[in-house]
Amino acid sequence: MQRGAGAQLAPPDPRVLPLPPTLEAVWHGLAERNAISDSTLAIHVASAFKLAVANLDGVTAEALAIIPEKVARKVAALPLRVDGKTLVIAVSDPSSMEIEQQIGFITRQRLVMEIAPPADIRGGLDWHYGPSAGAK
């Protein structure tokens, strides 16, 4: 992944990742290895994919009502807002075909992805849908 003007981000140290590695662990490991915050990594990921960085403070009830909690948690996507026939979602892995397939199928809306760290998305899901069964 590019960092700034042509510099590369170093990959996370595989010796410190859990087996199997989670997206959240890889994300945090990548940020830690490059001495940047998870939020700064979100800026790098957004830039690499030419996407916006998500503002998780702007979640609307309309967007939350469109995606069932179980699906949102499964694909780690936080619905943010609806704009006509477009649903804006926060994700950490914009290359995930599962996100597009699952949410696109359920909503039948055009999806626009914005980037946020996985821990922030998990926190947003817990805040808006309630704590997950594993967190209770």
Side-chain angles (χ1 to χ4, degrees):
M1 183 172 300
Q2 294 293 317
R3 182 180 189 182
Q8 294 286 325
L9 288 176
D13 184 348
R15 297 171 296 179
V16 299
L17 294 176
L19 291 175
T22 63
L23 176 60
E24 192 168 334
V26 171
W27 183 285
H28 186 70
L30 183 60
E32 193 172 76
R33 180 86 180 264
N34 289 279
I36 59 176
S37 69
D38 286 9
S39 297
T40 299
L41 180 54
I43 295 167
H44 287 282
V45 172
S47 176
F49 284 91
K50 297 181 177 22
L51 297 171
V53 174
N55 174 2
L56 302 186
D57 293 332
V59 175
T60 67
E62 180 183 14
L64 290 168
I66 291 175
I67 301 177
E69 175 186 0
K70 185 175 181 179
V71 174
R73 287 189 188 282
K74 179 181 178 190
V75 299
L78 179 63
L80 298 175
R81 62 190 174 281
V82 177
D83 184 16
K85 293 195 178 283
T86 301
L87 173 63
V88 181
I89 58 175
V91 300
S92 298
D93 181 4
S95 67
S96 170
M97 293 303 296
E98 183 180 20
I99 293 171
E100 290 208 40
Q101 290 171 346
Q102 294 275 327
I103 295 177
F105 179 78
I106 289 170
T107 66
R108 303 277 187 225
Q109 292 189 311
R110 178 177 168 266
L111 295 180
V112 171
M113 295 182 186
E114 295 182 353
I115 304 299
D120 293 358
I121 290 173
R122 182 177 35 82
L125 290 169
D126 288 348
W127 178 263
H128 293 288
Y129 288 113
S132 66
K136 289 181 183 176

